[in-house]
Amino acid sequence: MDPATFIDPNLTPQDLLVLKDLLRDDQTREVGFLGISPFSARLAAQADRLDDTDAIIHRLQSVNNPQDAEFEPTVFVTWDTPVVHANLPPLVDRWLFRPYIRWARRLVRVETDVVMLTHLLLYLTTSVPSALWLYGRFSWVHGVLHALMQGWYVGTYTLMMHQHIHMGGILCRQLAWLDALFPYITNPLMGHTWNSYYYHHVKHHHVEGNGPDDLSSTIRYQRDELRDFLCYVARFVFLVWFELPLYFFRKGHYLQGCKAGAWELASYASIYALFRWGNARATVFVFIVPLVLLRMGLMIGNWGQHAFVDEIDPNSDFRSSITLIDVPVGSPKEKKTFIQIPLTISTPAGTGATIPWPFSSRKTGMPPSTRSSSATSTT
């Protein structure tokens, strides 16, 4: 399948609008808009017929504006809201789905993010009872199924927590107590130690931006070598409990260092206590397996996101990362920037698709941005 001639049928209307706008620019430069490849024809047929970038930006902003008649809150990650409305039985849509959206919009921090409440309710009504049941009446089948369920959940849960740590919560101010409480219950079930995601991601990774002082930086590694990749993952899995507090101490942030270290060690101590004096088998499936898998997954994802480091400007947010055209309003707005700066463009498959490619290429035709070099490895 040629990516240049394929449109994913599951793309949202917003994604199609962005692709149409980018395609028009590309076709205009070369052979005139719709000049006319099968790719262009199919895209034009599926996207709304908006004439210019400003009109597309206005349309994309409308669906995210709660005051606009075209506003569409996100309720599920799998289905667009208009599709759900169209496919539900009318009575279910009128008396269950629409009232749920109205109720949920009042409870979330941002009205577009009904999906956050949807998933929080999902985790509280499945993960928590399942974990409690395992500690009360353990069975191997249940343990394996629970671990698989958590593995299925952890991607969307981590995205939810990404929103939580950047915005200081996902629920309305009246539910600040629940916002502050639920991560201490659900985080360990998904493999996150208490508050570690906040300290590592917000207070450290976003500050350093994959630069030389970033503990999860890829710039010192040969990014097309499997050995380097394994060392990178192992370093985080086994040493982050020590290196993250030490990072804060080096930067003079002693209180943050103490907090990061204390929460990390408290998490380990709690897991050990449950294993030693609680139910050891349940603890393995409820806490230890998710912890190991998540930490490996986080570093695999970060390696994919930062597999390419520009030798000229390694600190550039544009040149030294994979750019996913999956932020609809941002893409048309920043189009001029994208045109001026050489970028690594990925399809909506995501950064995970980048992982096996460097290892399978045998370095033939590998761009220099995947290699470690003195230009990007000095401190």
Side-chain angles (χ1 to χ4, degrees):
M1 178 181 64
D2 182 3
T5 60
F6 174 73
I7 301 175
D8 188 338
N10 298 311
L11 286 176
T12 66
Q14 291 90 336
D15 288 327
L16 290 170
L17 286 174
V18 172
L19 285 172
K20 177 186 176 181
D21 185 51
L22 297 176
L23 176 66
R24 177 174 54 237
D25 291 343
D26 182 64
Q27 295 290 340
T28 300
R29 284 197 306 271
E30 295 183 3
V31 294
F33 179 53
L34 299 182
I36 191 161
S37 68
F39 173 64
S40 303
R42 289 201 302 273
L43 184 56
Q46 294 179 58
D48 287 347
R49 299 188 178 279
L50 300 179
D51 295 330
D52 54 42
T53 299
D54 290 339
I56 288 176
I57 292 175
H58 176 74
R59 173 66 180 276
L60 295 174
Q61 290 174 331
S62 297
V63 299
N64 287 302
N65 180 6
Q67 309 306 319
D68 197 286
E70 296 185 3
F71 174 64
E72 295 177 9
T74 302
V75 183
F76 304 108
V77 296
T78 307
W79 307 286
D80 292 323
T81 303
V83 174
V84 179
H85 285 310
N87 287 276
L88 280 178
L91 288 177
V92 176
D93 181 54
R94 179 179 179 182
W95 297 106
L96 182 62
F97 187 58
R98 291 179 185 271
Y100 169 72
I101 293 176
R102 291 194 294 270
W103 172 73
R105 285 176 61 181
R106 295 196 299 268
L107 299 184
V108 292
R109 181 75 57 88
V110 181
E111 289 189 49
T112 53
D113 294 343
V114 170
V115 66
M116 302 292 177
L117 182 64
T118 301
H119 276 257
L120 180 58
L121 293 173
L122 174 67
Y123 307 136
L124 292 177
T125 55
T126 56
S127 296
V128 174
S130 177
L132 293 173
W133 187 270
L134 277 171
Y135 273 94
R137 299 185 62 179
F138 177 84
S139 73
W140 290 102
V141 172
H142 184 184
V144 171
L145 292 177
H146 178 87
L148 291 174
M149 178 179 69
Q150 298 305 94
W152 180 262
Y153 285 167
V154 70
T156 51
Y157 179 83
T158 300
L159 289 175
M160 184 184 78
M161 287 307 301
H162 185 269
Q163 184 89 334
H164 189 282
I165 61 178
H166 276 289
M167 295 183 57
I170 58 173
L171 303 176
C172 64
R173 298 298 180 183
Q174 291 80 0
L175 294 176
W177 63 272
L178 180 58
D179 240 349
L181 175 63
F182 83 79
Y184 291 96
I185 300 171
T186 53
N187 272 7
L189 298 177
M190 300 290 179
H192 289 275
T193 49
W194 290 320
N195 293 317
S196 61
Y197 192 28
Y198 169 75
Y199 285 110
H200 187 279
H201 185 74
V202 175
K203 294 298 185 179
H204 154 257
H205 182 60
H206 270 291
V207 172
E208 300 298 341
N210 199 50
D213 289 340
D214 191 335
L215 298 178
S216 52
S217 174
T218 59
I219 62 177
R220 293 184 178 87
Y221 295 87
Q222 190 78 13
R223 291 174 299 280
D224 52 1
E225 282 285 353
L226 179 60
R227 180 182 60 185
D228 281 40
F229 170 69
L230 294 176
C231 290
Y232 176 80
V233 173
R235 177 186 176 185
F236 178 78
V237 170
F238 295 109
L239 296 179
V240 68
W241 65 273
F242 172 75
E243 288 193 316
L244 186 59
L246 189 61
Y247 160 84
F248 288 121
F249 294 151
R250 288 200 310 267
K251 297 291 183 176
H253 304 308
Y254 302 109
L255 181 59
Q256 287 185 3
C258 291
K259 287 181 177 180
W263 281 117
E264 189 76 1
L265 294 177
S267 298
Y268 297 156
S270 299
I271 294 173
Y272 174 78
L274 288 170
F275 184 89
R276 178 68 175 81
W277 295 291
N279 188 321
R281 294 178 298 178
T283 301
V284 169
F285 287 100
V286 173
F287 295 111
I288 297 177
V289 170
L291 174 64
V292 173
L293 292 180
L294 174 72
R295 299 231 152 159
M296 293 175 61
L298 288 174
M299 286 300 98
I300 290 171
N302 200 68
W303 182 277
Q305 175 66 24
H306 298 289
F308 303 96
V309 178
D310 188 77
E311 293 183 320
I312 299 173
D313 187 6
N315 291 318
S316 171
D317 291 334
F318 291 99
R319 297 171 69 108
S320 294
S321 66
I322 295 168
T323 301
L324 288 172
I325 304 177
D326 197 26
V327 185
V329 178
S331 295
K333 282 186 174 181
E334 299 294 335
K335 184 167 56 177
K336 292 181 180 179
T337 303
F338 296 157
I339 292 172
Q340 295 170 0
I341 299 175
L343 299 173
T344 302
I345 304 295
S346 173
T347 67
T351 59
T354 311
I355 303 301
W357 178 72
F359 305 139
S360 62
S361 298
R362 309 295 295 181
K363 300 185 181 60
T364 302
M366 287 295 296
S369 57
T370 59
R371 316 284 178 83
S372 60
S373 69
S374 58
T376 58
S377 62
T378 56
T379 56

